[in-house]
Amino acid sequence: VRLTTPQLDLTTYASEATVAPGNRFAVMLSITPHEGMHVYAPGSEKYRVIRLSVEPQPHLTLLPMSYPPSTSYRFEPLDETVQVYEQPFELVQEVILDGSLQAQQEMRGQESITINGTFDYQACSADVCYPPRSLNLSWTVPLRGLVFGSPRR
């Protein structure tokens, strides 16, 4: 899915085309701030830091979010330095689909899993800080069953 806002371009996708119970996979966000824009990275206290919030659901475990290194941005008028992203970057949210027998039984007959989330950010240029925004996101990943049996020799 590709989204464009006045401040950035966002492409989002799942790392796998299909998943099975017990699989570890990720939902990915490729973010490109527009020319002259920056968004706030973890460590910025006065501004809304970029964040992906994933709605909890049964059989899905979220691992800690992976953030890329940020850069320091010096804003002279307020005499402050903040952590930002000005260049294209990716956010990676790894998830594990429960592989327990109970989870497999509960997912039996289900054709896909849908993960819903919200991407929050605040973007600024050298002159203007825009109001914080939230974008609703969704990933639907087809489910496949586990394959049992002996490996071929």
Side-chain angles (χ1 to χ4, degrees):
V1 173
R2 290 190 173 114
L3 300 170
T4 297
T5 74
Q7 299 87 25
L8 57 82
D9 295 325
L10 171 70
T11 302
T12 181
Y13 54 95
S15 64
E16 304 297 323
T18 61
V19 295
N23 281 172
R24 179 177 177 162
F25 64 104
V27 292
M28 317 280 286
L29 285 79
S30 292
I31 302 155
T32 302
H34 290 174
E35 184 70 30
M37 293 286 173
H38 60 265
V39 294
Y40 293 95
S44 298
E45 296 177 12
K46 291 183 180 179
Y47 304 95
R48 182 180 284 186
V49 171
I50 58 165
R51 187 177 82 158
L52 175 64
S53 301
V54 174
E55 290 179 13
Q57 63 178 290
H59 314 305
L60 198 65
T61 301
L62 301 175
L63 299 175
M65 172 70 78
S66 173
Y67 288 95
S70 58
T71 58
S72 293
Y73 179 83
R74 181 78 181 144
F75 189 58
E76 293 296 334
L78 293 180
D79 190 31
E80 64 183 10
T81 301
V82 292
Q83 294 301 302
V84 300
Y85 298 112
E86 297 178 280
Q87 301 299 316
F89 65 99
E90 283 196 340
L91 295 180
V92 178
Q93 175 62 71
E94 288 188 288
V95 296
I96 299 173
L97 188 59
D98 187 353
S100 70
L101 185 55
Q102 178 182 349
Q104 290 178 52
Q105 291 170 344
E106 291 176 11
M107 288 187 279
R108 185 167 284 133
Q110 191 175 331
E111 294 183 9
S112 62
I113 183 168
T114 299
I115 300 168
N116 295 307
T118 304
F119 174 61
D120 297 314
Y121 72 95
Q122 183 176 19
C124 296
S125 68
D127 303 317
V128 177
C129 266
Y130 296 90
R133 291 201 58 186
S134 294
L135 302 174
N136 293 324
L137 303 174
S138 182
W139 302 266
T140 299
V141 184
L143 288 173
R144 60 180 160 73
L146 295 174
V147 178
F148 295 98
S150 301
R152 292 185 179 199
R153 295 182 187 213

